[in-house]
Amino acid sequence: GKPVILGVIPARLNSTRFPSKVIFNLKGKPIIEHVYDKAIQSNLLNKVIVAVDSEETKNVINCQNIMMTSDKHQSGTDRVAEVANKFDCDVIVNIQGDEPGIDPLLIDQLITLFEDPSVEMASIASTDLQEDDLNNDNVVKVNLDKENNAISFIRNNLNPDLTYYRHIGIYAYRKNTLNLFTSLSQSDNEKNHRLEQLRALDNNIAIKLLISDFSHRSIDVKEDLKNYEN
């Protein structure tokens, strides 16, 4: 039959740069609830789970499918893998809990890339890269090969001869790729750049990028809330 697609929104309560970010009230509801409400509008996700690590989050948010996960995880991806392995699913979409502006259509376009059997892991690259973004370490940049596979992800020190896109931190993986990824130890590149996706590239897992003009921003620090005020 058709592949089963699972969406997981990892919700770690103690984010370093913006504590309790996922439950911060934005226009009447927690940030993560905005993300969940967008994700369930996707036509291709068969199920969406919010993966929480604290009772506080669980008690504050009003989402149908909430699953408690270990508070020992090193990363959101490990949390996503814990959930994925409780379900019979083929492709898993890791939807960031700090992207309240995520577009359900974009999630569907990302999933559609897996119609190509060679795609193991995928993410999104936006053409909306502003002057301010170039020097902002919180904005991750990606450059691509001719097949739209990632060559490298970078925060700063951009090479003026290359074309970069703004990386949107939503990932999709085949289940075996997700389990492989989380079984690998952190690579030096990953530690140095604080970019988990470099572990995939360092281990020859290709990341296919969907190119979009998506202009919404994630909320990394409190100042980013200004993008959502109007």
Side-chain angles (χ1 to χ4, degrees):
K2 280 179 29 184
V4 176
I5 320 287
L6 177 69
V8 184
I9 307 169
R12 184 167 72 100
L13 188 61
N14 295 317
S15 47
T16 348
R17 290 178 293 187
F18 180 169
S20 301
K21 172 169 74 174
V22 291
I23 58 172
F24 183 88
N25 190 312
L26 175 69
K27 298 182 178 172
K29 58 186 178 185
I31 286 176
I32 195 123
E33 219 176 291
H34 286 274
V35 179
Y36 178 81
D37 291 346
K38 288 282 177 61
I40 57 177
Q41 293 172 39
S42 148
N43 292 313
L44 299 181
L45 287 174
N46 299 102
K47 195 175 193 64
V48 179
I49 305 281
V50 180
V52 302
D53 67 349
S54 93
E55 287 295 331
E56 188 183 348
T57 311
K58 194 175 169 183
N59 296 335
V60 171
I61 61 175
N62 179 26
C63 304
Q64 245 182 325
N65 297 319
I66 301 174
M67 190 173 279
M68 187 60 74
T69 53
S70 162
D71 56 8
K72 304 280 184 284
H73 290 307
Q74 291 296 307
S75 75
T77 315
D78 295 320
R79 193 172 309 288
V80 169
E82 181 189 335
V83 174
N85 285 303
K86 293 187 164 79
F87 292 94
D88 181 16
C89 53
D90 303 287
V91 172
I92 298 96
V93 185
N94 175 354
I95 302 159
Q96 303 297 331
D98 60 3
E99 288 266 7
I102 198 69
D103 179 354
L105 186 66
L106 203 57
I107 298 174
D108 288 345
Q109 289 170 332
L110 179 66
I111 293 166
T112 307
L113 294 178
F114 289 84
E115 288 171 4
D116 174 347
S118 72
V119 172
E120 308 171 273
M121 179 171 172
S123 191
I124 296 173
S126 173
T127 53
D128 175 47
L129 183 66
Q130 309 292 338
E131 195 65 39
D132 294 354
D133 296 330
L134 300 175
N135 306 316
N136 183 345
D137 281 4
N138 289 329
V139 178
V140 178
K141 281 67 88 169
V142 58
N143 68 306
L144 309 175
D145 67 14
K146 292 192 291 291
E147 309 289 308
N148 292 345
N149 286 309
I151 298 173
S152 67
F153 292 89
I154 195 162
R155 291 179 183 276
N156 45 34
N157 298 332
L158 278 64
N159 177 337
D161 302 328
L162 298 178
T163 302
Y164 291 95
Y165 295 86
R166 182 167 62 91
H167 180 227
I168 310 282
I170 174 174
Y171 295 96
Y173 332 73
R174 291 193 196 278
K175 194 176 204 173
N176 55 352
T177 306
L178 175 60
N179 285 328
L180 168 64
F181 180 86
T182 52
S183 72
L184 295 163
S185 46
Q186 286 193 310
S187 70
D188 291 340
N189 251 342
E190 171 185 2
K191 288 183 200 160
N192 294 338
H193 294 276
R194 306 189 318 284
L195 290 172
E196 200 185 14
Q197 60 272 36
L198 294 174
R199 189 191 320 171
L201 299 185
D202 290 339
N203 288 281
N204 298 320
I205 298 170
I207 306 176
K208 173 77 83 174
L209 276 293
L210 170 76
I211 296 183
S212 158
D213 59 1
F214 187 62
S215 64
H216 276 283
R217 304 288 161 144
S218 61
I219 298 173
D220 293 307
V221 289
K222 261 204 155 126
E223 289 69 61
D224 296 334
L225 289 165
K226 67 180 188 302
N227 298 324
Y228 290 90
E229 274 162 8
N230 47 19

